Amino acid sequence: MKPLRAAAIRGNWATLLLPVRPDDAIDEDLLREEIRQLRAAGVNGVYTNGSAGEFYTQTEAEFDRLHAIVAEECERLQLPFQIGVAHSSPQISRERLARARGLAPSAVQVILPDWFPPSLAEVHRFLEGMAQAAGGIPLVLYNPPHAKRRLEPAEWPEVVSRHPCVQGAKLPGGDEAWYTAMRPILAGISVFIPGHFLATGLVHGARGAYSNVACLSPAGAQHWYDLCLRDPERGLALQERIVRFLFDSVVPFARERQLSNMACDKALAVAGGWLPGLSPRLRWPYASFPDEECRRLGELARSGLPELFR
């Protein structure tokens, strides 16, 4: 796959959820079908080993096997793909990147060392090492809200100028002040924001989303992205209803049961029904949404967000 520079990293990218069998093994057949369904939905690209990809549960043998399948299917379907090489150990993350390089992904997603918050000097040292391992493949820096080291807007210009390998960032977004502070970075690299704030992000200069809305409906999320480009006002109006659905129907149950973000993403995919055979089950030891709650969410989503299911 052709490496993508910042200008080409844009749009609605869908996470590859990890299909898990009852014995906790990865369901490789369903993984292949998932990629085919996402290609048919017309998403701009897919990415592996975000939270919903359960990267933290994978052995190195599983990581290699999973990504060999992803690369094979995406190359066959001509579907751009990014590989996530996150790991709590920066050494293992760098080794994963060195191996993933041979699969020729469009880009690679990395996180900062996450056991103890790195200083800015250590951030630079980490990115230098990852760039060397990448061998020219662009890096997308994933800096989530729960990261031990959150980069502030004032720190991003130095990171981007010192590390041209960083062509993209996956960030939680923010208010008007945050977008104003990030404006120099938004003009230079591809900044993606959470899927349910896609319309707001695009208005302020973000390039797209690694989308939780695509978990619910990949084709619907792609429709919404296209709508945001054609008619930002209608895109914002749909965003308001998407956010209301998530925070009224999904988040309260997750908080009550102390369920994770990845449990929410898998529940949305099961609720959306676009991948028959997918279970909301997460790998041990994490808990999941029950099947009956996924059915309830599916009914609410189709009632409140019919545009996503046409």
Side-chain angles (χ1 to χ4, degrees), residues 251-273:
V251 172
F253 186 88
R255 285 178 176 167
E256 178 188 342
R257 303 292 181 93
Q258 296 184 304
L259 297 172
S260 61
N261 288 345
M262 52 271 196
C264 294
D265 287 343
K266 268 197 171 175
L268 287 173
V270 174

Side-chain angles (χ1 to χ4, degrees), residues 221-238:
Q222 193 65 36
H223 159 76
W224 181 33
Y225 171 69
D226 295 337
L227 175 65
C228 289
L229 297 183
R230 294 194 315 270
D231 191 336
E233 186 173 341
R234 289 176 61 201
L236 286 164
L238 180 51

Side-chain angles (χ1 to χ4, degrees), residues 10-14 47 191-196 198 207-211:
R10 58 175 63 247
N12 169 54
W13 286 61
Y47 67 102
V191 174
F192 274 41
I193 38 76
H196 52 289
L198 172 67
R207 307 274 179 92
Y210 298 114
S211 180

Side-chain angles (χ1 to χ4, degrees), residues 139-212:
L139 301 185
V140 173
L141 180 52
Y142 179 22
N143 198 216
H146 56 271
K148 292 287 197 319
R149 179 62 154 87
R150 288 281 304 279
L151 291 172
E152 298 298 328
E155 295 175 314
W156 274 98
E158 181 179 338
V159 169
V160 171
S161 64
R162 286 188 55 171
H163 306 286
C165 59
V166 176
Q167 292 289 299
K170 181 183 180 184
L171 302 176
D175 56 14
E176 292 278 348
W178 184 86
Y179 278 106
T180 298
M182 288 292 290
R183 191 164 293 143
I185 302 308
L186 292 164
I189 68 171
S190 179
V191 174
F192 274 41
I193 38 76
H196 52 289
F197 293 128
L198 172 67
T200 296
L202 292 175
V203 166
H204 286 89
R207 307 274 179 92
Y210 298 114
S211 180
N212 56 346

